[in-house]
Amino acid sequence: MARRIILDCDPGIDDSVALSMALFHRSLDIVAITAVEGNVPAEMATRNVQTVIEQLDPPRLPRFGAATPNDNSDYRDACFIHGRDGLGEAGFVTADHHQRHLSEKIICDEVRAAPGEISIVCLGPLTNVARAMQREPQFIENVAEIIMMGGSFNGIGNITQTAEFNIYCDPESAREVFQAPVKKILIPLDITSQVQFALNFIDMLPDETNSVGAFLRQVVPYLFRSYHQQLGLESVQIHDAIALLQLLEPELFELEAWAVDVEVKGELTRGMTVFEKRRSRNPAHNLEVARVVDVSAARQAVIKCLHS
Ligand code: RIB
Ligand code: CA
């Protein structure tokens, strides 16, 4: 039985790699892809989800949700990494879909129609899931589980010294989702950033004769340019692909139960994920957190998945 999932994402180049893995994976039934403001502003995230689906042309078309701006006055995008268009400035032209439902409505509708069956994979800020919880109080009890790329166990951030980008974009929503009474798995930056991809990753992509190769060969090269120019790095991290892998090949990861909260106030720490590490305490664990990944196996699994 295929695993039914909703992918909530902010494409973004690494989101695009994860979508390319998911939309053709025989073990997944992608019920919906919902856009969320993050790497790029809401309207662009919505357009980019449409673009990715059109470029990949998957065997089964998922429903699609439109993003709306988050409520965070500190929000800033990550176009410096993903390009002015969020997709490596590849210049895709996408038809404007007028029939648009809000992401949080799509999420609520699909979960209500299949209680206990749908897992939500969050590859961007947690705005849409928090809004779905606010929209329908009984929504969360019908969700099978939530898998999130976000946060930082060791307290080292990427968008600030202390905050990982997805949590930083909307700390209030992250705090709300972290407290939700549902099974939650967090794949933090400490894990996803261990799996580095060198420039030869491009050569290992499928060739242009298939939609995944044709699409990713247009967007992925930009990531190497931005990591080099902006971060001084010669290899890249494909965070969302590793987060998705936890669903596809859980044996590559080791999870631990932790009590985790989100700083929503600190001048230097807003968006920081705070783990209760005092051994003497016996806190209520609210997250399963990936603490170990088989790095080389994960890298190979991403490449193999893109060829499946
Ligand atoms: O911090 C990395 C995360 O933020 C990834 O999901 C990336 O796509 C951005 O959304
Ligand atoms: Ca993302």
Side-chain angles (χ1 to χ4, degrees):
M1 175 80 169
R3 187 85 174 270
R4 305 189 70 201
I5 68 169
I6 291 173
L7 277 165
D8 192 64
C9 56
D10 58 336
I13 296 175
D14 62 325
D15 301 72
S16 299
V17 177
L19 292 176
S20 300
M21 293 164 65
L23 283 166
F24 296 87
H25 201 283
R26 67 181 67 80
S27 75
L28 298 182
D29 171 12
I30 314 297
V31 170
I33 299 178
T34 50
V36 64
E37 181 166 75
N39 281 321
V40 293
E43 178 63 28
M44 190 180 286
T46 301
R47 190 164 61 249
N48 285 357
V49 166
Q50 292 173 27
T51 298
V52 174
I53 295 173
E54 283 181 14
Q55 291 295 320
L56 292 176
D57 188 23
R60 297 180 311 282
L61 276 181
R63 288 192 74 188
F64 141 73
T68 48
N70 64 44
D71 303 320
N72 178 17
S73 57
D74 295 329
Y75 166 66
R76 49 181 144 141
D77 65 42
C79 290
F80 71 100
I81 292 291
H82 300 274
R84 289 187 300 269
D85 63 356
L87 293 178
E89 298 182 5
F92 297 112
V93 177
T94 300
D96 192 14
H97 286 238
H98 300 294
Q99 178 61 23
R100 284 177 174 179
H101 291 294
L102 291 182
S103 290
E104 57 264 35
K105 179 183 184 322
I106 296 285
I107 292 170
C108 283
D109 290 352
E110 292 300 330
V111 166
R112 187 184 327 107
E117 291 183 29
I118 293 179
S119 299
I120 304 175
V121 178
C122 299
L123 303 177
L126 296 167
T127 310
N128 290 336
V129 175
R131 287 179 176 169
M133 290 167 61
Q134 292 149 16
R135 186 185 180 102
E136 279 185 22
Q138 74 282 12
F139 154 76
I140 201 67
E141 65 197 44
N142 290 327
V143 174
E145 66 177 347
I146 300 176
I147 296 157
M148 302 164 277
M149 191 279 137
S152 165
F153 181 84
N154 63 16
I156 299 170
N158 53 3
I159 193 66
T160 70
Q161 304 99 307
T162 57
E164 177 279 327
F165 183 79
N166 285 338
I167 308 301
Y168 178 80
C169 282
D170 192 344
E172 285 77 8
S173 290
R175 169 175 257 194
E176 198 171 331
V177 174
F178 279 22
Q179 299 305 331
V182 62
K183 181 182 176 186
K184 299 175 292 294
I185 297 175
L186 185 73
I187 318 299
L189 195 57
D190 318 68
I191 293 294
T192 61
S193 55
Q194 288 180 40
V195 189
Q196 304 272 339
F197 292 85
L199 191 56
N200 66 350
F201 174 67
I202 296 171
D203 301 329
M204 291 187 272
L205 292 171
D207 63 31
E208 287 90 343
T209 58
N210 88 9
S211 63
V212 168
F215 171 60
L216 290 182
R217 285 171 181 270
Q218 294 180 78
V219 299
V220 171
Y222 190 96
L223 200 61
F224 285 89
R225 277 206 302 280
S226 61
Y227 266 64
H228 174 72
Q229 290 168 2
Q230 303 293 333
L231 306 176
L233 298 174
E234 296 313 314
S235 58
V236 301
Q237 300 153 16
I238 309 181
H239 304 285
D240 294 335
I242 304 309
L244 180 73
L245 211 49
Q246 198 285 324
L247 182 78
L248 299 175
E249 305 204 25
E251 71 282 0
L252 298 183
F253 299 79
E254 289 177 22
L255 304 181
E256 292 174 359
W258 283 89
V260 193
D261 202 343
V262 178
E263 174 55 69
V264 296
K265 288 193 172 60
E267 186 178 342
L268 298 176
T269 56
R270 177 167 163 77
M272 181 177 186
T273 44
V274 181
F275 291 72
E276 175 53 271
K277 296 175 182 174
R278 293 172 293 177
R279 284 294 172 204
S280 58
R281 299 298 195 274
N282 183 23
H285 298 143
N286 55 322
L287 289 183
E288 293 289 310
V289 180
R291 294 286 299 117
V292 177
V293 61
D294 181 334
V295 172
S296 57
R299 187 182 299 115
Q300 289 312 314
V302 167
I303 295 162
K304 180 169 175 278
C305 187
L306 290 170
H307 283 266
S308 64

